[in-house]
């Protein structure tokens, strides 16, 4: 299959245009998205080969999700298709200060949340792959997903793949307690952890009184033996303007990225873009500092693009790393 | 509350514009609809006072549905609101010959399908009402709904309300066998049955070799002691052009309506419009022939209006009954 | 100024998309239109030089109307601009059988309806012109307009211009009685009358029991000494499908045009297109038969184009006259 | 009827999308709005029962306005319906610095401006109500409205309702002199005045050289014996970014609210939202400080929502009062 | 690569919505299409593996075209990418009787028309393939394309692939004379010819006075030794309503398909859908009669779907073959 | 013809809405624009009479461009129309920090780039004109255009017209070297040069180490004997927020304009608006300081208006010069 395998749910995303609230909207923009699919799409667009594994219903909504994965060159051969059942949905209301944007999930009872993990052909999926990635959303979806994540991670390590994991805590899906219990066990098979200060505290109860990211990273590596910890940092200046940066600790060097002031068209998927930029860079053999800065620049660009997917190109990212001039490109 | 009470589920309706298939659509038109709400809206717009009883989640989608009911002056005081849970959805692809229009339901696990029927205050709801209406969709949704329908019908008859019922068989919700078993028991409390030749055959196994509607109606009245049976008749000349008419049998007179050649903008809810036109006319004391023709004209107009709701006015309907000229009205 | 001068009101036109009723619409298509402007635009697009005279407020709506006239090369130098006041509006609901399309006017108190006719520089406007055209809407708008029409017609005849007039009876603006009284006086200055059977009966009480257009035309010429009478004929097969044709009587020959079955995208302005096609052809010296057929073909094409204006080209019209094949033109 | 009665005109609002000027727009977003209706809608959404009294034409535009009131649960039973006449309109061009947003009114000759005040059943309307609210727009519309405002205020005081009034000076409707003369007489029946520094100066010629809101409020209370004066304060940092706050003086305490930096999606109706937040809070028995801060938070949220109506919920407002974090709400 | 290889140009397609003419449109729907890509997409959706070979510029328009191919699972590995140059465009105006739809091409100077045919790796492209398809548009684009078509056909025959060819004469690209000369030479390598009566006459000067398709097919097979000739037959009842059918002659049996009355949403690509339906059926080993009827049903459905691509499914096609009922599918 | 003649290419402009990238867009906004047409439109809207000279194909795209010129009262009588050929196109992706907006040109092989300069009737075009304006884009388009620019400038000087020139360097059209060589020769016929610091350096290699605009202007006047040099200055605070100002040096006074912080809806055409504001002011006899400030205010307003054209009015500009308050204008 592909160099990088991601595993998780993607949903149909429905967004009222023009900052409308759902109640007043006459039409909804329709799209697809989900953390692990977003990573796979971004990887593929950057030039890494990626495949996305999930479970979808055989209906127009399921088709739309896999079409959109394929549109961006993500391999979809190992999707588990179900005759019955539903695709998860989410509704996204875009805000303006002082009204934050908000997400209304309608994902319960989706095919993926009821996944029969035995339908996954782990061996075939991971064959020849170099990297496996998933997030904390997947084990929160249901028992089948939880078992599949464990199995994927165990086999990936046996096969010497690199594994990465984004905590992505979702309070609508499970409690902090369950999230901690389930995920602490899994961390032994993870090489690279990507998360935010807030999620690290909520899930692992690890924090630092001065928000010292170096300290937080150290505690994580001390406890879970990760090879790399990345923390993305968002400052919400306002809903339409954020600062975006990240740090990387590899047990040795603590690296801080450039910081971008981003004008927010759509911030969903920015963290996933960071992950993709990081994986792509590390797979290409870039040094950690360069990988970190590429990942941050690439994910900063995501904020300017509507939808979950990061359609920014490698060339745009490299231009940004070289030159922060905001003039019209002709 | 209101003169006419209807009870059933309404869903969020999502429609790709311009005859697109869902897979290719970039946006979806958002609306609300559902058989019994459609009847209540149409009644209210015609001038009858109506109330709609249902169960909705306390979220923007639930709010949207009740907003739209209220927009058209339908009383919503007895909706059961649930803190958790989902609103049913349906996706509607509009076709063109030889591709029929099609509906994709995503209504399983909705609040209404899991209704706790004890939350309904039957006494208060039916107090001072004159008419109760529901359809065969409601008992098919789940146990709570089934019990509620029985209870409503029983109490309605005790309170001397007129009761009407549209068979509306939905094969995705239950089998013909279950539909027959469950509904045959309920028919003793029904005064007026509205249906189509096809549904009558599928549910009650009653048919006529020559499609003689008089015979079919007779058999229904013989078996179930209805006061009135109405059968709506649609001829699908093409997807964009249908003939639309109906018959009414009251045990004595067999009446045939005018027939309309309709240009189909949106045929969802046409049957519900017929029901509303009939109830409104009978409540106003119109003779059966006049009631039938009003109901057919009103529901013929529905085909020209996008969405589930019939926004045609009483005045437009009366103009149509008088004059079938299709010139621009200035 | 221009070869053909038309005089009348144009309004902002607001149309709900997708066959929606106004009550349910979320947005309205905005456009400009009005009988005499429609004629001027169509003339200019066919290659005749035309100017449109009217009265507009100095605000964005007034500007939009004159912009759109100029966009199609209509001279607007003699528009009377008012500092205060409003532009007339009309709302257009597009129907589908059995719901006819309908127009809601909001034109009362417009600048044009309160026109101070002394602000018109008749001499300059008509200088070098060859043709003057107006319709029965203009004198119905108000006293100033009525006087201006009389004055225009009188001077046009003195200056040997050809004059044409479309009865265009609007029952919301005046009664049949007033329309008859006011217009019968004006007819002495008209060379060419264009109308429909219905309007001729409503305004002049002239009709024929067998709808014999020859007889009707004769009676009109007998009474008013027109040089030419044209009657356009619309058969409303349905809202979306009409037959369209016309007859011309010049006191000698009674000519019947080809008949077109038109698929109706937007029929507003079809009559105005006929007038423009006729004027253009007669100005070009075409024989009456050819002029009639050109005018009918050109106005048949109008039905396929959204908005009041006929954007069909001369080339498209000539192709249609030669070849009625409906294959894709590549 | 309802706890709070508001009285005033609502108009159809037409807005070009995407910061377009009207002249270049192809479509207009259609909505309804008007100061007193905006207050009623916001009150109802917050949970207060409200009714709106006005005068509308019996046509699709009049229907649309009352539909939208009802959609948000505002009682509309006492609207005076006219067979003829027009609904007021306004066109709203949304700007970007240095182009301020602008409003083009087309409201002259509306039904409401020609209101026959004797058609209002004051007794029935105010029966059981607790609060009456109107603004300085209403008496500016015409004689009938002026008389109705006087009558409403007089009767409201007799019935011991609380009365509130927003100066809302509109220079297109009347002069400062007339506004002063007419309104000074009415102030004796007002308990709560809500306005801006600018309008207070224009209408009552009351100001303070240092813009000291305490002093201004004192002068107002000294002169007119209000129980409460509120002044809303907008700082136009740019068209897209404003600061928003308010002060309240109750004759004893001078209270200053929190200040919000708002990203402006649509600022029309922000003042009306403040009024609704205040009325709702005072009716709920909140202390003045809490009422002021709730009203400011609620109306700060309005800026993020397209249209005149504030669709922000009570829950969103309370969240904002607790936590100004602008992260995505999941 | 894939079982079926198609070779040709795809363009960006720009369509004014709502039957607008380009001159009046405010926005254009953007899509991709082109005869051979349309065939590949339809094949892939039916379940055949297909690959499309072409030449595209490395810019967002080139990317969009290949994205959309991949979205529908068409292999794009052998597209020749050019650093410079343009993608072909076409503008499509949708008509209504009596205005036929029309296409405005802007495809001159595209990358594909200047293709360097040596950049194609014929061997690798055709390896393991079973079928090669192209149309008469491709050799008309330029010298490089002409040579590539010859080379593809020659090698395909050597490798024992089935070859099919649709004449698709485009008068804007070459004359009938050149078309005849160039293509007559190529026909020796063609197994299956698909065309229309009109194109056969224009290119090969083969016709029948009574439009006898059997005779025409015979003459073609006599002259060019095709294994199969298919002629698609369109009757333009009106722009919005066509009859659609086809015939197949295999040298032995002359087969006539069912005929469909289609309501035309978008007829571009109907012929390509026929080709795909035929190839898919023959590859699946269906008998000729069944293949013909499947191809006609599948392509009849195309008329109901906006865009060049046929998004109808195999299941929809099979349902249509079984049951021509046009009721809503629930 | 007109007081001011501009000469250059205008293109069809296609813009994805909502900050979408082209690859993800479903529709494109369609418009027309081009430096010299933008100047002519802005001049005409300000009240100067202007004419635009160019070369266009006789097809709907060519028509659309000239329609839009005429819509804004620009004379188009001297456009050279070609039977064959294409209109230039450009695609505009609107960005958000840190993604700059970008332009994708598809203008090669346009009619204008292949202009036969002998088809221009220079004498007639310039007769009675007072001003000639073009930009550095025009000679970069092709040989014909280059010759035409030379000829226009030579004749304009002979006829004592004022000439102005905006360097507008486009690196996709020619190299800095060619641009320098070609344009240095032309500068002798130029009275007023308008440009940016960057373009002056790229084309004439003139710069100042401290970005001292006075020094740069002096060097330009020393070398080329311009009467006036204007440099527009844009500070890209972010993609959505810029500072905008300009300087003017007339050999004597070095004038610095007010500076505007602009919220960027669409910055294309801002420089052209500056030029138009300057020409209009100078033609009206305003002093240089006033002309400069008017031009900057007018072009600052352009940033708030979608499309290439500046639809801001003279009145809005004068209001802005008087009052920078950003409150809603009622």
């Amino acid at each position: 299959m592909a160099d990088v395998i991601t595993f998780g749910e993607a949903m149909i995303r429905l967004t009222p245009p023009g900052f409308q609230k759902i109640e007043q909207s006459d039409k909804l923009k329709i799209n697809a998205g989900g953390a692990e699919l977003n990573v796979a799409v971004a990887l593929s667009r950057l030039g890494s080969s990626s495949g996305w594994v999930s479970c979808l219903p055989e209906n127009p909504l399921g088709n739309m999700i896999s079409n959109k994965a394929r549109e961006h060159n993500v391999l979809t051969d190992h999707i588990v298709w179900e005759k019955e059942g539903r695709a998860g949905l989410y509704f996204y209301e875009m805000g303006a200060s002082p009204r934050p944007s908000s997400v209304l999930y309608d994902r319960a009872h989706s095919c993926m949340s009821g996944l029969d993990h035995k339908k996954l052909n782990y061996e075939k999926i991971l064959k020849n792959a170099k990297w496996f990635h998933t997030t904390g959303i997947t084990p929160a979806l249901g028992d089948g997903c939880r078992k599949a994540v464990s199995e994927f991670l165990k086999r990936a390590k046996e096969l010497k793949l690199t594994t990465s994991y984004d905590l992505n805590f979702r309070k609508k899906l499970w409690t902090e307690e369950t999230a901690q219990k389930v995920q602490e066990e899994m961390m032994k098979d993870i090489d690279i952890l990507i998360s935010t200060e807030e999620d690290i505290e909520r899930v692992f109860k690890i924090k630092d009184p001065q928000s010292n990211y170096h300290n937080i990273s150290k505690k994580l590596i001390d406890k879970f033996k990760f090879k790399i910890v990345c923390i993305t940092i968002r400052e919400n200046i306002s809903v339409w303007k954020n600062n975006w940066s990240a740090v990387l600790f590899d047990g040795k060097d603590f690296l801080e990225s450039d910081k971008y002031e981003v004008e927010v068209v759509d911030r969903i998927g920015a963290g996933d873009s960071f992950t993709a930029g990081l994986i792509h860079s590390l797979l290409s053999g870039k040094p950690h500092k360069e990988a970190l800065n590429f990942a941050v620049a690439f994910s900063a660009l995501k904020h300017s693009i509507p939808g979950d997917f990061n359609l920014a190109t490698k060339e745009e990212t490299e231009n940004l790393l070289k030159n922060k001039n905001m003039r019209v490109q002709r």
Side-chain angles (χ1 to χ4, degrees), chain A:
Chain A
M1 214 188 160
D3 284 354
V4 187
I5 300 300
T6 75
F7 173 59
E9 181 169 40
M11 292 165 280
I12 290 293
R13 163 186 158 152
L14 296 160
T15 318
F19 302 101
Q20 288 181 106
K21 301 200 79 181
I22 291 165
E23 276 189 66
Q24 73 188 131
S25 58
D26 181 65
K27 64 173 70 80
L28 304 175
K29 193 90 179 132
I30 180 165
N31 250 313
E36 299 82 2
L37 175 56
N38 300 348
V39 172
V41 163
L43 275 165
S44 164
R45 289 187 59 94
L46 287 172
S48 293
S49 92
S50 69
W52 171 65
V53 179
S54 194
C55 181
L56 289 172
E58 285 179 10
N59 69 24
L61 300 174
N63 291 344
M64 182 183 255
I65 293 170
S66 69
N67 286 353
K68 286 187 184 298
R70 254 190 342 255
E71 180 182 350
H72 298 292
N73 220 1
V74 172
L75 292 178
T76 56
D77 314 25
H78 290 284
I79 290 171
V80 175
W81 290 94
E82 295 292 345
K83 280 251 172 293
E84 298 296 322
R86 63 186 300 263
L89 306 176
Y90 83 92
F91 296 80
Y92 182 44
E93 280 182 346
M94 304 180 101
S97 292
R99 175 167 66 92
S101 297
S102 70
V103 170
L104 171 71
Y105 288 109
D106 179 15
R107 70 195 299 177
H109 310 289
S110 70
C111 284
M112 180 63 174
S113 65
L115 172 73
D116 174 357
H117 74 107
K118 288 177 202 147
K119 292 188 177 174
L120 293 170
N121 188 335
Y122 298 98
E123 198 174 315
K124 213 162 153 191
I125 294 170
L126 295 178
K127 192 173 163 188
N128 297 324
K130 300 177 180 162
W131 197 295
F132 176 80
H133 174 77
T134 191
T135 82
I137 298 166
T138 313
L141 293 173
D143 272 352
C145 284
R146 200 171 300 181
K147 283 175 193 152
V149 168
S150 292
E151 188 67 21
F152 265 124
L153 288 173
K154 203 188 67 173
R155 287 176 180 251
K157 289 323 299 170
E158 289 168 6
L159 294 164
K160 315 265 186 239
L161 274 66
T162 304
T163 56
S164 54
Y165 195 91
D166 180 344
L167 277 187
N168 258 347
F169 178 71
R170 291 287 181 271
K171 69 172 190 281
K172 296 274 176 63
L173 293 178
W174 56 0
T175 62
E176 294 185 4
E177 291 63 41
T178 316
Q180 183 169 19
K181 186 156 164 288
V182 168
Q183 290 178 104
E184 282 196 353
E185 282 172 33
M186 290 170 175
M187 289 304 110
K188 67 177 185 305
D189 293 324
I190 303 296
D191 297 313
I192 299 180
L193 184 83
I194 298 145
S195 192
T196 61
E197 183 187 10
E198 189 196 22
D199 278 4
I200 292 165
E201 180 178 349
R202 286 197 291 184
V203 175
F204 294 135
K205 311 302 167 199
I206 287 173
K207 60 181 165 177
D208 181 82
Q210 273 77 45
S211 283
N212 182 310
Y213 297 113
H214 195 170
N215 287 346
I216 295 170
S217 309
K218 265 191 206 150
K219 291 182 194 174
L220 283 165
I221 287 194
D222 287 353
K223 178 154 188 192
F224 297 112
K225 314 297 169 201
F226 301 126
K227 291 188 187 134
I228 291 177
V229 165
C230 282
I231 302 176
T232 56
I233 305 159
R234 178 183 301 284
E235 297 163 45
N236 293 286
I237 303 172
S238 72
V239 173
W240 293 350
K241 190 183 285 182
N242 287 185
N243 283 334
W244 177 251
S245 62
V247 298
L248 180 154
F249 183 57
D250 54 16
K252 214 179 81 186
D253 294 317
F254 177 74
L255 306 168
E256 292 179 290
S257 79
D258 296 344
K259 182 190 282 193
Y260 292 87
E261 189 179 273
V262 298
E263 289 170 324
V264 181
V265 170
D266 190 331
R267 43 162 290 186
I268 302 290
D272 306 324
S273 273
F274 174 83
T275 296
L278 188 79
I279 296 175
H280 176 75
S281 299
L282 295 177
L283 273 175
S284 322
K286 286 194 189 164
H288 290 179
K289 179 73 185 182
E290 220 175 286
L292 175 67
N293 274 324
F294 183 89
V296 168
F298 180 61
S299 50
L301 287 166
K302 167 61 195 71
H303 293 80
S304 74
I305 295 169
D308 272 51
F309 295 168
N310 190 352
L311 302 187
T313 61
K314 195 175 199 166
E315 190 191 6
E316 284 174 309
T317 311
E318 285 162 356
N319 285 348
L320 178 59
L321 285 163
K322 276 182 255 167
N323 175 359
K324 306 211 168 9
N325 187 308
M326 290 295 109
R327 284 193 309 187
V328 175
Q329 307 292 304
R330 289 175 190 270

